[in-house]
């Protein structure tokens, strides 16, 4: 694929993905790779610029991640951020020392020379930034000059203009550095002379071409379609590429929300004209879950049975040699990260185990994209807003929202309550402003009074959170009147629930889902 590349080398920073996202937001294509990438491979990738991420290490730590100094002789601009600055200076002969005053959080940086990434700034001005370091650069390598300073770091930004080498001690990628995007833009466009050519439209055209070339003129592919954003966009993109040679399989595991199967079938079969088979496997899943209360056991059973059902259906498709999956870029990054920006925080909901069992060639048309880019690609493909902005729904479905044993009766109670939460959140105009909103059925019975009768029914917990990527989350401050209406409707309309509570815990320490 002929496109300009910015290479982000990862040294273990929690912000590495954020660096890539900020570069992509400037409509410039970038990829994250581990700092251990051999220099020969880096040269073969022909990057137009290189960014060195931060990291938790000190350059003097035993086993600290390092870099081949040949990176600085590639003849392309290099920007070192935080640890990246310190490592660049250390590798080129400068001196890094422990700082007597560590800097974590908001700080002020004075710009001494408006050059390089600071080209759009005024010399002498101070800007607000976000710091996170315990070491500082105290002696510059040959040819470098200081271009900014903070009260605790005399060389807060440095430059060797002749070689287009730059380093900054603070983090321009976080929102707490208000002019960070402007600084990154100056590096990309003024220093590296890149063009903002990475767009959803250009991506979809390229991806469609790649799928065509991969599957060939006669090849057939299978896609597990759940109705979620990732699998939906992957399916539509592949349908644009190979048309009727794509077979989609929707597995009804009995753990779906009310009306979900019908809406997915109508959307993709009738509106998008995909070749879609909906498999009714409810009894098979629920019989396997009978008597199971342990969350991890639930997940393993659901994953195993899904693979069995999917494999059986796939064998009915003649000459299908390719499997389409909605793998996203964060999943790819985690598999190559150096001491991961996040070692594994959660298990992914992709169809684990399918490629090895089915021996099919993988087609992952979205593997270069972040979630927001997937939605943008979907828009470029003409997909409707309600499909692209559907709230995330866990792979194990309602099984992990039905705490305790999963039975058909308890699932029906949960579906009724969940439908009310969805209706009221949408009616209040809040659906698109929260990351997820749902309810959980608890295996806890409490005493209640309805009319003149005593009740002893289960408890429903309502959960609504704000998040960007699901890795962290804060509980949503829903209006009292909305919460009141949700509670009133659930208790009055859903038999089996007589008490509603609201979950006000954040992630961490809690998780978004309860199991």
């Amino acid at each position: 694929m002929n496109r300009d590349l910015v290479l982000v080398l990862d040294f273990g920073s929690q912000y590495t993905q954020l660096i890539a996202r900020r570069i992509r937001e400037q409509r410039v294509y970038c990829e994250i790779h581990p700092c251990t990438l051999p220099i020969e491979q880096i040269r073969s990738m022909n990057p137009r610029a290189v960014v060195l991420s931060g990291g938790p290490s000190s350059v003097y730590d035993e086993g600290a991640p390092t870099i081949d100094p040949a990176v600085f002789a590639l003849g392309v601009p290099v920007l070192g951020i935080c640890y990246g600055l310190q490592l660049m200076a250390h590798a080129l002969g400068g001196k890094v020392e422990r700082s007597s005053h560590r800097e974590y959080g908001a700080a002020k940086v004075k710009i001494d020379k408006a050059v390089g990434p600071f080209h759009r700034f005024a010399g002498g001005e101070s800007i607000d930034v976000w710091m996170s370091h315990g070491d500082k650069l105290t002696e510059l390598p040959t040819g470098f000059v200081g271009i900014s300073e903070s009260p605790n770091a005399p060389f807060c930004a440095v430059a060797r203009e002749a070689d287009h080498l730059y380093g900054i001690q603070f983090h321009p990628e976080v929102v707490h550095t208000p002019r960070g995007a402007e600084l990154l833009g100056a590096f990309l466009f003024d220093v590296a002379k890149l063009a903002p050519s990475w767009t959803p439209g250009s991506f979809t055209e390229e991806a469609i071409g790649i799928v065509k070339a991969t599957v060939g003129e006669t090849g057939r592919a299978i896609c597990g379609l759940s109705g979620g954003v990732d699998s939906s966009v992957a399916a539509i993109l592949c349908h644009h590429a190979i048309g009727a040679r794509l077979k989609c399989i929707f597995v009804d595991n009995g753990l779906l929300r009310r009306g979900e199967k019908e809406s997915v079938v109508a959307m993709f079969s009738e509106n998008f004209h995909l070749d879609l088979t909906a498999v009714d496997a409810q009894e098979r899943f629920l019989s396997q879950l009978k008597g199971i209360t342990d969350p991890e056991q639930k997940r393993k059973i659901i994953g195993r049975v899904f693979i069995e059902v999917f494999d059986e259906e796939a064998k009915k498709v003649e000459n299908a040699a390719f499997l389409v999956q909605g793998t996203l870029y964060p999943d790819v990054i985690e598999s190559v990260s150096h001491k991961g920006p996040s070692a594994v925080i959660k298990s992914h909901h992709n169809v684990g185990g399918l490629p090895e069992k089915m021996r099919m060639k993988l087609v992952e048309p979205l593997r270069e994209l972040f979630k927001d880019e997937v939605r943008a690609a979907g828009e470029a493909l003409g997909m409707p807003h309600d499909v692209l902005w559907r709230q995330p729904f866990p792979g194990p479905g309602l099984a992990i929202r039905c705490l305790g044993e999963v039975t058909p009766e308890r699932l029906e109670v949960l579906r009724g309550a969940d439908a009310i939460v969805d209706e009221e959140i949408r009616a209040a105009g809040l659906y698109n402003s929260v990351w997820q909103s749902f309810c959980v059925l608890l295996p806890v019975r409490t005493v209640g009074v309805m009319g003149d009768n005593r009740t002893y029914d289960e408890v429903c917990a309502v959960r609504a959170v704000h998040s960007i990527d699901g890795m962290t989350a804060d509980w949503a401050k829903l209006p009292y009147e909305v919460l009141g209406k949700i509670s009133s409707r659930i208790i009055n309309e859903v038999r089996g629930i007589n008490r509603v509570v609201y979950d006000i815990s954040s992630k961490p320490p809690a998780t978004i889902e309860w199991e």
Side-chain angles (χ1 to χ4, degrees):
M1 212 180 284
N2 294 319
R3 61 160 76 115
D4 291 337
L5 167 69
V6 174
L7 176 63
V8 180
L9 293 178
D10 178 30
F11 294 89
S13 170
Q14 61 180 317
Y15 299 135
T16 302
Q17 284 197 34
L18 203 49
I19 295 171
R21 289 174 69 91
R22 295 293 175 258
I23 293 173
R24 295 274 189 95
E25 285 168 4
Q26 305 264 5
R27 294 171 58 188
V28 172
Y29 181 71
C30 71
E31 290 181 7
I32 297 174
H33 288 271
C35 59
T36 51
L37 200 66
I39 188 64
E40 296 79 13
Q41 192 170 343
I42 292 175
R43 287 196 183 101
S44 70
M45 296 169 74
N46 194 28
R48 290 284 304 278
V50 176
V51 177
L52 313 180
S53 84
S57 303
S58 166
V59 294
Y60 299 113
D61 287 345
E62 185 177 347
T66 187
I67 194 170
D68 190 325
V71 167
F72 305 115
L74 289 171
V76 302
V78 179
L79 175 66
I81 297 174
C82 197
Y83 181 81
L85 155 71
Q86 296 166 8
L87 184 62
M88 179 192 294
H90 178 67
L92 296 176
K95 187 174 183 180
V96 177
E97 297 180 350
R98 290 285 185 192
S99 177
S100 57
H101 298 284
R102 296 181 300 172
E103 287 186 298
Y104 294 98
K108 288 273 189 186
V109 166
K110 178 175 173 286
I111 299 170
D112 296 321
K113 296 181 176 66
V115 299
F118 297 100
H119 176 73
R120 303 179 184 182
F121 296 70
E125 74 172 305
S126 291
I127 61 172
D128 296 315
V129 302
W130 187 260
M131 294 282 198
S132 181
H133 67 101
D135 292 356
K136 64 181 179 182
L137 176 60
T138 56
E139 290 183 19
L140 293 173
T142 302
F144 278 79
V145 295
I147 57 177
S148 83
E149 59 187 287
S150 75
N152 295 314
F155 302 114
C156 199
V158 300
R160 190 159 81 186
E161 288 251 86
D163 298 313
H164 299 302
L165 303 181
Y166 305 93
I168 51 179
Q169 186 60 71
F170 57 89
H171 289 273
E173 68 272 23
V174 301
V175 295
H176 307 292
T177 300
R179 299 183 68 182
E182 189 177 352
L183 188 148
L184 286 172
F187 174 73
L188 297 170
F189 304 126
D190 301 339
V191 176
K193 308 298 183 185
L194 294 164
S197 58
W198 170 249
T199 65
S202 66
F203 164 79
T204 54
E205 289 174 13
E206 290 177 354
I208 288 169
I210 290 173
V211 172
K212 283 181 178 178
T214 302
V215 178
E217 294 295 327
T218 59
R220 298 198 69 189
I222 296 172
C223 176
L225 181 60
S226 69
V229 177
D230 305 339
S231 68
S232 297
V233 175
I236 296 300
L237 192 151
C238 290
H239 182 65
H240 276 260
I242 61 174
R245 290 183 287 125
L246 174 69
K247 174 71 175 182
C248 294
I249 299 172
F250 175 85
V251 177
D252 183 356
N253 56 15
L255 305 169
L256 306 175
R257 292 167 291 192
R258 182 175 289 175
E260 191 154 18
K261 174 184 176 181
E262 293 76 14
S263 65
V264 170
V265 170
M267 174 62 70
F268 293 96
S269 290
E270 299 170 18
N271 292 5
F272 290 119
H273 309 294
L274 267 64
D275 180 1
L276 173 64
T277 294
V279 183
D280 186 350
Q282 297 183 56
E283 189 175 331
R284 188 164 171 179
F285 278 87
L286 294 180
S287 64
Q288 292 288 311
L289 289 169
K290 188 174 182 179
I292 304 298
T293 59
D294 179 72
E296 195 57 30
Q297 268 192 284
K298 289 181 186 179
R299 288 178 181 272
K300 287 179 178 177
I301 289 169
I302 293 165
R304 173 178 56 78
V305 177
F306 181 91
I307 290 170
E308 292 171 359
V309 173
F310 194 92
D311 190 29
E312 290 168 10
E313 289 300 317
K315 286 177 179 175
K316 299 175 185 178
V317 183
E318 292 184 12
N319 303 318
F322 299 89
L323 176 67
V324 177
Q325 283 193 320
T327 308
L328 301 193
Y329 197 43
D331 303 335
V332 177
I333 293 169
E334 286 197 352
S335 69
V336 300
S337 170
H338 177 84
K339 298 183 179 178
S342 55
V344 177
I345 293 175
K346 63 176 182 179
S347 58
H348 298 293
H349 300 311
N350 286 356
V351 186
L354 279 177
E356 180 182 349
K357 182 177 179 63
M358 299 177 67
R359 304 187 185 283
M360 302 176 83
K361 296 177 182 176
L362 270 182
V363 176
E364 298 172 306
L366 308 179
R367 64 180 283 114
E368 295 180 338
L369 302 188
F370 289 104
K371 192 77 162 189
D372 53 338
E373 294 173 322
V374 171
R375 290 192 170 105
E379 289 177 354
L381 290 166
M383 296 178 66
H385 183 273
D386 60 335
V387 173
L388 297 176
W389 290 92
R390 171 181 139 154
Q391 292 180 2
F393 186 62
L398 295 180
I400 58 170
R401 294 178 181 173
C402 185
L403 275 58
E405 185 179 5
V406 180
T407 66
E409 296 76 21
R410 296 189 73 223
L411 284 169
E412 199 52 38
V413 171
L414 179 55
R415 282 193 190 96
D418 183 80
I420 289 171
V421 170
D422 184 74
E423 288 168 13
E424 293 302 326
I425 291 292
R426 289 179 186 275
L430 298 170
Y431 186 84
N432 289 331
S433 66
V434 296
W435 173 263
Q436 275 177 286
S437 51
F438 57 91
C439 56
V440 181
L441 186 63
L442 309 184
V444 176
R445 292 186 180 274
T446 67
V447 174
V449 178
M450 291 187 180
D452 296 324
N453 297 317
R454 176 182 182 275
T455 62
Y456 194 56
D457 291 331
E458 291 186 309
V459 177
C460 170
V462 176
R463 179 81 157 137
V465 298
H466 293 299
S467 182
I468 294 175
D469 52 16
M471 303 300 282
T472 61
D474 193 14
W475 62 280
K477 282 71 175 175
L478 297 183
Y480 287 151
E481 57 269 25
V482 175
L483 288 172
K485 194 167 184 182
I486 288 172
S487 175
S488 176
R489 284 194 60 193
I490 289 175
I491 291 171
N492 283 291
E493 298 176 28
V494 182
R495 287 186 177 275
I497 295 173
N498 67 356
R499 190 178 300 271
V500 175
V501 298
Y502 189 54
D503 182 350
I504 60 168
S505 47
S506 61
K507 177 186 179 180
T511 52
I512 295 177
E513 299 289 347
W514 279 44
E515 286 192 340

